[in-house]
Amino acid sequence: MATVNLLPNVDISNDWTLSTGSDVYALLDDNHTGTVASDSSKITSASTGDEVEVGFQNFTESYSAINSVQAVIRAGNNGRGALFRAEMSIKDNLGTLWSAEDLGGFAGNRDYRTLTYTERTTYDGSNAWTLSKINNISMLVELTVNTSGTTAFTYAYFIVDYDLPVATDNAIFFGTNF
């Protein structure tokens, strides 16, 4: 098995505030390892119901099977006594919902939290992932709870777990045919 991370590369929709620039995906395609307050490459919201949706890079690896896809985001709220909650939905870039998940609420903290969602072995609960489905994947994140302060979102990616192609070379290795 092998894995590759697909990063955002296109904006689909957005209600959040951008810290800089005009492209949401550019603010979500790199990991910030510092604190929420020190990050200058993020999107923020203080309003429940705000949503952001981004599309992702194509899967370009050679493979024999696609085993699973797993969403990961980094978000945080450094407000004292704050609680935030982010629901993540996997969709295609045409708007078809494949799955949605809410990990529950998280207490405010000065550092970002890595939210790792369930590994999905099918795209819709019953059908296996295909190259076409992965190459049309999008992620929608909705801020469903924000009790105080501002919630920040700095990183999003999909982990694609796949099998490498099976070797078809039948040549005899030198020294094995004695």
Side-chain angles (χ1 to χ4, degrees):
M1 283 202 248
T3 62
V4 66
N5 294 346
L6 302 182
L7 300 174
N9 70 348
V10 65
D11 295 348
I12 296 174
S13 65
N14 180 44
D15 298 327
W16 296 55
T17 301
L18 284 65
S19 62
T20 186
S22 60
D23 296 319
V24 173
Y25 75 87
L27 300 175
L28 299 179
D29 69 355
D30 57 349
N31 191 12
H32 187 271
T33 57
T35 66
V36 175
S38 68
D39 186 4
S40 62
S41 179
K42 62 187 173 190
I43 61 175
T44 59
S45 176
S47 302
T48 59
D50 278 358
E51 296 180 337
V52 59
E53 185 176 359
V54 290
F56 286 77
Q57 300 167 323
N58 284 340
F59 178 72
T60 59
E61 307 300 316
S62 296
Y63 69 96
S64 62
I66 299 169
N67 302 314
S68 66
V69 173
Q70 184 172 32
V72 179
I73 68 171
R74 287 190 43 87
N77 183 324
N78 64 351
R80 180 173 289 197
L83 177 73
F84 76 94
R85 196 170 182 160
E87 180 179 295
M88 184 282 310
S89 299
I90 300 174
K91 301 172 74 175
D92 69 12
N93 58 10
L94 300 174
T96 304
L97 175 66
W98 289 335
S99 70
E101 186 173 359
D102 186 338
L103 296 177
F106 294 90
N109 188 308
R110 66 185 218 82
D111 297 317
Y112 282 110
R113 297 186 182 276
T114 301
L115 309 180
T116 305
Y117 295 88
T118 302
E119 186 175 7
R120 305 283 177 188
T121 57
T122 64
Y123 71 89
D124 63 356
S126 59
N127 293 299
W129 287 101
T130 64
L131 183 61
S132 173
K133 295 299 183 190
I134 289 179
N135 286 347
N136 288 299
I137 200 169
S138 71
M139 179 189 296
L140 179 122
V141 175
E142 179 183 358
L143 185 61
T144 58
V145 172
N146 190 72
T147 60
S148 65
T150 301
T151 297
F153 179 17
T154 193
Y155 195 34
Y157 61 97
F158 283 109
I159 302 168
V160 178
D161 180 301
Y162 63 99
D163 291 336
L164 295 170
V166 177
T168 58
D169 186 7
N170 293 327
I172 297 174
F173 180 74
F174 175 78
T176 61
N177 196 9
F178 284 68

